[in-house]
């Protein structure tokens, strides 16, 4: 049967990586975003997920066999996150329903399933690490749960299969993305090198010393495709990380080496990037002009608040991959290699010098 994918959030870190993979595998791909970017082999569709009528009009006549949802909209409170992001998932499911062509929906959420929402991130009673899919939901409101419930209800009504994918912090390339640690750290390292500032780890002692893991966007894309094509993976939720573990006390030096700088000694003091980079818009514009970079707006490259949330956690975070491994998903990527690959792409695309 012909595979036709609709990727919601196609211009983001996850959506763009998935679109690249599906086009390589011969799929027909439509990429939906508020402001679609040009991607080879992808038909762009501009639509606002919070506008049901406009969304239905934009997707009128589209017959997608697979829907992949890899986007969210950050709100001021978790109650608003639930209302808005649940509605966005519901709206796109309603928009594709008339075609009666949908066979599978893949939803990307994340480890906040286990850690709690930003309002209560890493606090309260948390499940033991490594996080396992059978640990279930926390007893707190969480927009990830609202998104899942919309998919579950539509699947029961319309008869498609589903999969949920829970990455840790994602490494990948996308400009203007709200959660982008890799590019944030790249911009920070460049600023430190060019201004002579120390390259300080901004986070907590627990993150510096403890084990952690991350998710390359390309690994996540491969799991999304695998789940869509593997009958045994139907109607299941999966964690997805690279497969290795590391400590930031080691990784920080690896990142510093790539940029040709010395890492500053870490004394346990939390120094958030949101504070360190608060006045860096002007220096970044000067760096962009000096090197002929294509993005002079630091705010479109760096998301310090999100990087601070991850690196400032008071607990160790590692993720179990046994569930999908048992079912045959064996993709692996060393996290330091994933960072290097991203930095090389950023430099090749003249986003960093």
């Amino acid at each position: 049967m012909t595979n036709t994918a609709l990727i919601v959030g196609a211009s983001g870190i996850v959506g763009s990586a998935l679109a690249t993979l599906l086009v390589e595998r011969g799929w027909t791909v439509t990429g939906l975003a508020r402001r679609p970017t040009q991607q080879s082999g992808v038909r762009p569709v501009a639509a606002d997920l919070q506008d049901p009528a406009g969304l239905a009009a934009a997707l009128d006549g589209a017959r997608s066999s697979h829907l992949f949802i890899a986007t969210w909209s950050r709100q001021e409170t978790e109650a608003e996150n639930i209302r808005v992001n649940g509605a966005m998932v519901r709206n796109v499911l309603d928009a594709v329903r008339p075609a009666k062509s949908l066979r599978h929906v893949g939803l990307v959420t994340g480890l906040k399933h286990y850690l709690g929402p930003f309002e209560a991130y890493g606090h309260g009673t948390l499940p033991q690490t490594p996080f396992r899919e059978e640990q279930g939901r926390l007893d707190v409101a969480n927009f990830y749960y609202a998104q899942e419930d919309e998919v579950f209800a539509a699947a029961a009504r319309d008869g498609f299969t589903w999969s949920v994918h829970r990455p840790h912090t994602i490494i990948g390339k996308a400009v203007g993305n709200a959660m982008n640690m890799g590019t944030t750290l790249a911009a920070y390292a460049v600023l430190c090198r060019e201004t002579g500032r120390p390259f300080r780890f901004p986070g907590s002692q627990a993150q510096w010393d403890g084990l952690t893991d991350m998710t390359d966007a390309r690994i996540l894309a491969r799991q999304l495709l695998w789940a869509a094509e593997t009958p045994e993976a139907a109607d299941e939720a999966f964690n997805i990380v690279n497969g290795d573990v590391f400590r930031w006390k080691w990784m920080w030096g690896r990142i510093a080496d790539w940029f040709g700088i010395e890492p500053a000694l870490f004394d346990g003091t939390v120094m958030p990037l949101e504070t360190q980079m608060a006045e860096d818009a002007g220096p970044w514009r000067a760096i962009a002009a000096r090197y002929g970079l294509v993005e002079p707006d630091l705010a479109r490259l760096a998301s310090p608040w999100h990087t601070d949330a991850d690196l400032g956690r008071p607990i160790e975070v590692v993720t179990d991959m046994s569930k999908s491994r048992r079912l045959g998903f064996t993709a692996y990527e060393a996290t330091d290699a994933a960072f290097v690959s991203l930095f090389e792409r950023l430099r090749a695309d003249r986003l960093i010098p």
Side-chain angles (χ1 to χ4, degrees):
M1 299 176 68
T2 301
N3 290 320
T4 56
L6 172 63
I7 302 174
V8 178
S11 60
I13 291 177
V14 176
S16 60
L18 178 60
T20 297
L21 177 63
L22 295 183
V23 169
E24 289 174 352
R25 298 294 177 86
W27 285 49
T28 299
V29 179
T30 297
L32 187 149
R34 280 187 299 172
R35 292 177 294 274
T37 56
Q38 294 299 316
Q39 293 178 262
S40 178
V42 178
R43 182 176 75 90
V45 171
D48 183 347
L49 295 180
Q50 297 185 53
D51 174 11
L55 181 61
L59 295 176
D60 185 37
R63 293 185 56 81
S64 301
S65 61
H66 293 71
L67 170 64
F68 299 99
I69 304 172
T71 191
W72 72 293
S73 177
R74 187 186 183 196
Q75 305 298 311
E76 289 296 322
T77 66
E78 192 59 20
E80 276 299 286
N81 276 330
I82 290 168
R83 183 186 68 81
V84 170
N85 289 282
M88 286 164 56
V89 172
R90 182 169 63 253
N91 290 342
V92 74
L93 288 166
D94 287 344
V96 299
R97 180 171 299 118
K100 298 182 179 180
S101 58
L102 203 58
R103 304 201 304 266
H104 181 82
V105 172
L107 172 68
V108 178
T109 61
L111 293 196
K112 287 190 292 297
H113 182 92
Y114 310 105
L115 285 162
F118 287 121
E119 290 182 0
Y121 193 54
H123 297 285
T125 303
L126 301 175
Q128 291 185 342
T129 58
F131 295 139
R132 303 175 188 274
E133 295 92 344
E134 62 267 23
Q135 289 169 321
R137 296 178 173 184
L138 301 176
D139 187 22
V140 295
N142 191 322
F143 81 86
Y144 283 168
Y145 307 160
Q147 289 180 311
E148 287 183 342
D149 288 342
E150 294 293 346
V151 172
F152 299 160
R157 180 179 58 241
D158 299 334
F160 56 78
T161 62
W162 56 264
S163 58
V164 175
H165 304 261
R166 300 170 185 158
H168 198 168
T169 307
I170 299 172
I171 301 171
K173 181 190 165 222
V175 175
N177 192 273
M179 300 192 297
N180 195 339
M181 179 189 284
T183 306
T184 299
L185 293 181
Y188 175 58
V190 168
L191 283 159
C192 290
R193 186 184 68 198
E194 296 297 316
T195 64
R197 285 157 41 188
F199 185 58
R200 300 180 185 277
F201 180 72
S204 67
Q205 191 78 51
Q207 291 306 301
W208 182 253
D209 290 330
L211 290 173
T212 192
D213 47 31
M214 293 184 73
T215 306
D216 191 303
R218 296 166 297 184
I219 289 282
L220 174 51
R222 290 171 66 180
Q223 194 192 58
L224 282 159
L225 175 59
W226 165 81
E229 295 182 328
T230 304
E232 294 79 10
D235 302 338
E236 297 285 353
F238 298 103
N239 294 331
I240 174 62
V241 288
N242 292 335
D244 65 341
V245 294
F246 64 91
R247 302 180 200 276
W248 275 106
K249 63 169 61 177
W250 175 81
M251 186 66 76
W252 201 249
R254 299 284 287 176
I255 294 172
D257 285 346
W258 195 88
F259 286 95
I261 54 179
E262 287 292 324
L265 293 176
F266 179 64
D267 64 3
T269 303
V270 177
M271 300 185 67
L273 287 180
E274 197 159 26
T275 300
Q276 291 193 54
M277 300 177 72
E279 305 299 326
D280 280 340
W284 184 263
R285 282 194 297 272
I287 292 169
R290 185 183 315 144
Y291 290 101
L293 304 183
V294 298
E295 184 50 76
D297 184 355
L298 181 61
R300 287 183 50 75
L301 295 176
S303 52
W305 68 272
H306 179 259
T307 300
D308 287 338
D310 278 3
L311 297 185
R313 289 181 299 215
I315 59 171
E316 180 178 274
V317 177
V318 286
T319 314
D320 181 69
M321 282 282 292
S322 299
K323 186 177 184 181
S324 58
R325 297 291 192 232
R326 285 194 296 267
L327 293 175
F329 180 76
T330 58
Y332 168 87
E333 173 75 39
T335 301
D336 59 332
F339 271 122
V340 167
S341 176
L342 170 63
F343 299 155
E344 289 173 344
R345 281 181 284 158
L346 294 175
R347 180 170 286 172
D349 292 343
R350 293 171 46 225
L351 288 165
I352 63 171

